[in-house]
Amino acid sequence: MPQRVSIFVTCIVDQLFPNAGMAMATVLERLGFSIDFPEAQTCCGQPAFNSGYRDEARTVASHTLKVLEGADYVVVPSGSCTSMMSHHYEELFAPGDARHHAAERLSPKIYEFSRFLTEVAQVEDVGARLETVATYHDSCHALRELKIKEAPRRLLANVKGLDLREMDAAEECCGFGGTFSVKFPGVSGGMARTKIDSILRTGASTVISIDSSCLMQLQGAISRAGLPIRTMHLAEVLASR
Amino acid sequence: MSTTFDRKIDATLSDPRLQNAIYKATGRLMSHRKIAVDSDVLPEFEELRTQANAVKRHTIENLDWYLEQFERNVLAHGGHVHWARTGTDVADVILGLAKSRNASLIVKSKSMTTEEIDLNERLEHHGLESVETDLGEYIIQLKHERPYHIVAPALHLTRYDVANVFEKKLGVENETEIENQTMIARRVLRDKFLRADIGISGANFLIADSGAVALVENEGNARLTTSAPKVHIAVAGIEKLIPRAQDLATFLKLLGRSGTGQPLTVYTSFLSGPRREDEVDGPEEFHVILLDSGRTKLLADPDKRQSLYCIRCGACLNHCPVYRKIGGHSFPWVYSGPIGAIITPQFHGVESEPGLPFASSLCGACAEVCPVKIDIPKILLELRADVKASEKRHAVNEAERAVFRTFAYVASRPKLWQRATKLAARLGPRGQGYLKKVPGFMNVGPVRAWLSQRDLPAPAEKSFREMWKERGR
Amino acid sequence: MTAREAILRDVRRNLGRAEGATPPPPPEPRIRIPEVSREDRIARMLERVSALAGKTLHARSAGDAVEYVAARTAGQTAVASNAPFLRQIGVTELPGVQSGFTDERNLREACASAEIGITSADYALADTGTLVMMASPAEARLVSLLPPVHMAIVPAERILTGLDELFSLHPLPASETSSMVLITGPSRTADIEQILVRGVHGPGEIHVVVVD
Ligand code: SF4
């Protein structure tokens, strides 16, 4: 088992949801990993990439590639940022470019948090306990680009006290989509409300995801509607005792 | 600054009846598909998709070859092939045929390609009567509307809307029973079929080794269109080719299931040429019009030419959470949903509706269901880059570009990034959870847009970076 | 330059292909034919047709089949196709059944006014409950299309497993017929409020009689 893992916490966790990042570190440490937090990390560059600013995305990607160069494993509390780094960095640079090769080398080392736990650390029970009725939201990039479907569910199934209920629209997008959420706010908000209807049908009081951006979107809409539901990052659930 | 696109979206969002209609109809099609492609009933589904993708790729990559093979085989069976660069060319061919055969009444079966080139309007402009015969298409033709959905053109209408238009156009009073409405259409259209001089169809597939046109439908109107009149004209985009009749074994299994969840649609017609010797019925003439109208242009980009693999099943629309909110008429062209979002900018230029490729959360549900595996999100991303490149050339949207340039500058300089994020956090009310509103000077642009729908998370009391440092590692 | 030349030129230019260059071999067609016993094929065929709201009969003899048809056509007008099989078993002799049309206008008029159209079928596809109709002097197109009721009488040995078997037996249908139509259940629409209505343009009632 590798001893040392680097974490890339993503800009959104750093600024808005640091507890998710701390929880991820806690879980990893409990499993015996020593954590390296490369200080120079900033953002994966996805906002620029998804907005069509390829040059700007390349600038940020080049930086991140350098920051993560020496890492054995990079663990990320986000499916979306993982997919940006493991799938799209390569596309940003022409095959001859040194950064293309750097991206190729980095790609297999980058793990979304739940996948790291189940595939590398090979644990499904991290000894967590949380008394709640919960439902799991599949974030789109984790589900469709990284094919992460079972890992978080298996981890949650082993959380004591947690009653996990599937929602009928688990795989439906929450409507965030980065700048989409503010370019088409009405559509984005409508998608969030549709998702929340599905959440409500489960009777869950906690919505869990592996992406903080989805949770921000959902919690924002839940809060606006004044509903008694909280959102939690998977790492926060797994760190609970 | 709101565009027509934005305004149409808002109008759809604020119509609860329409919202419900779209959501229910697409939801039903989704669940039908889900049952039909379940691995219990169709274990080879993924294999079929891979095969379909490979066959389409091969055909598109060698399209000129297959077009010529198709043409030879149509001629060999006594049919005719016409090549059309534009919609006008198509109309000219048909008008020529109509004139020399003294035709005045045309029956049409559903075809997105003819919708694309406004064929009915062009023909009517020249005094021909051209009647849509698919029930949904007939209704929207009476209403002078565009199809709302690739496979369910009248998805947005209720029986009351239909009663209204039947009253106005057919003089039928207050008939709101769907079954009766359908039978009224049957009677009116049956008469047209039996009197029509020409039948125009589209083509779901053009089969190169057979010189054949394959048509897929449920109502029987395509069969009537291609059997009853003396002349059958099929109008098809050049991308509709597949190499061999045997490939239909793959494509037919995918098309009905993906679109409506039917293992096979009610009718599949495989038509190759006019009636043969001693046949008692069937058309005496068989024409295929091969339409370019921008398709050759799409071939130029090796990454994006897969857009032409589309078999118009409609699955991407049904599964698109954005389509399910904004519906079909918000889209700028006849093709709506994810496939519309990727082909419209390629046909009409990214400048025509620069917002279109951005109207997606990039959730990927479309690519997940596409039977020919078109990587729609990837193409959307490419188109977004094309939009930004074009904006740069025309010095449009400078403010946004400045924001992203600054972002990239800062995000590639860790010290600066740390200072900037700290400053930004201090500006906001830290550690206050979700905010219902922010001070007026902040309530602008994206913040305002966010707050129009949702509460906004305040920056955390401490950033992760600060917390991590304090922990003393 | 003709439109044809211009289109082919642009296609080649944008694909980077030389005129007349032979393409690499296409992917092999995907044809898989499962082993299914005759009895299972019959059962599956009838089950699929019923699931589509079609009516079915497994006739042990030609006589049974004719009797079934006679019961449905009693007191009605019907048109039978020129399929020799229908004549052989005596369907064309039933009262009210017209057949033997060789003139298009007469055929059209008869089909447009008949209540029932009777045909055989070249094949049936068990997998999907499909009838395969190849147009020929024996099988005109309008018989299975214009009347509101379609009855098809199919010899049991004509039931194939599915599309793959059909296209493996007939890799080039165009060399045999100008029109091959697959019919899977009654004509239907759901264009208004997604409410299913049968018989919108084609027959709303379909009978499949399989004869041993
Ligand atoms: S893009 Fe794919 S899913 Fe969408 S209509 Fe075309 S074939 Fe169907």
Side-chain angles (χ1 to χ4, degrees), chain B residues 150 310-316 339 370-372 374 376:
Chain B
I150 294 178
C310 175
I311 57 173
R312 307 273 186 263
C313 72
C316 58
I339 184 63
C370 176
V372 290
I374 300 173
I376 296 171

Side-chain angles (χ1 to χ4, degrees), chain B residues 107 193-194 196 198-201 215 217 220-233 269 271 275 279-285, chain C residues 104 107-108 135 140-146 179 181:
Chain B
V107 281
F193 280 125
L194 294 176
I198 295 177
I200 298 180
S201 72
L215 291 169
E217 51 141 359
N221 63 309
R223 282 184 71 195
L224 282 158
T225 299
T226 59
S227 304
K230 286 214 174 339
V231 181
H232 170 207
I233 306 172
S269 301
L271 307 168
R275 71 164 80 164
E279 269 191 68
V280 186
D281 60 5
E284 289 165 7
E285 291 179 46
Chain C
E104 184 176 9
L107 173 82
R108 265 170 101 107
R141 301 159 209 232
L142 297 177
V143 183
S144 62
L145 185 54
L146 291 182
S179 160
V181 175

Side-chain angles (χ1 to χ4, degrees), chain C residues 106-165:
Chain C
N106 295 342
L107 173 82
R108 265 170 101 107
E109 274 167 16
C111 289
S113 61
E115 280 139 332
I116 300 168
I118 308 167
T119 68
S120 184
D122 291 277
Y123 297 101
L125 309 180
D127 230 11
T128 45
T130 300
L131 299 165
V132 181
M133 313 287 302
M134 296 188 180
S136 68
E139 285 292 0
R141 301 159 209 232
L142 297 177
V143 183
S144 62
L145 185 54
L146 291 182
V149 181
H150 175 206
M151 305 186 88
I153 309 169
V154 195
E157 65 272 12
R158 293 262 141 187
I159 304 181
L160 311 177
T161 49
L163 282 171
D164 292 49
E165 194 171 358

Side-chain angles (χ1 to χ4, degrees), chain B residues 249-301:
Chain B
T250 296
F251 285 100
L252 293 177
K253 281 182 208 146
L254 290 168
L255 179 52
R257 284 182 168 94
S258 299
T260 53
Q262 293 170 276
L264 267 183
T265 52
V266 176
Y267 302 115
T268 304
S269 301
F270 181 96
L271 307 168
S272 46
R275 71 164 80 164
R276 298 193 186 165
E277 227 183 311
D278 296 335
E279 269 191 68
V280 186
D281 60 5
E284 289 165 7
E285 291 179 46
F286 176 80
H287 299 263
V288 181
I289 305 179
L290 296 172
L291 174 67
D292 174 0
S293 189
R295 288 164 173 78
T296 49
K297 196 170 61 190
L298 262 71
L299 291 172
D301 184 324

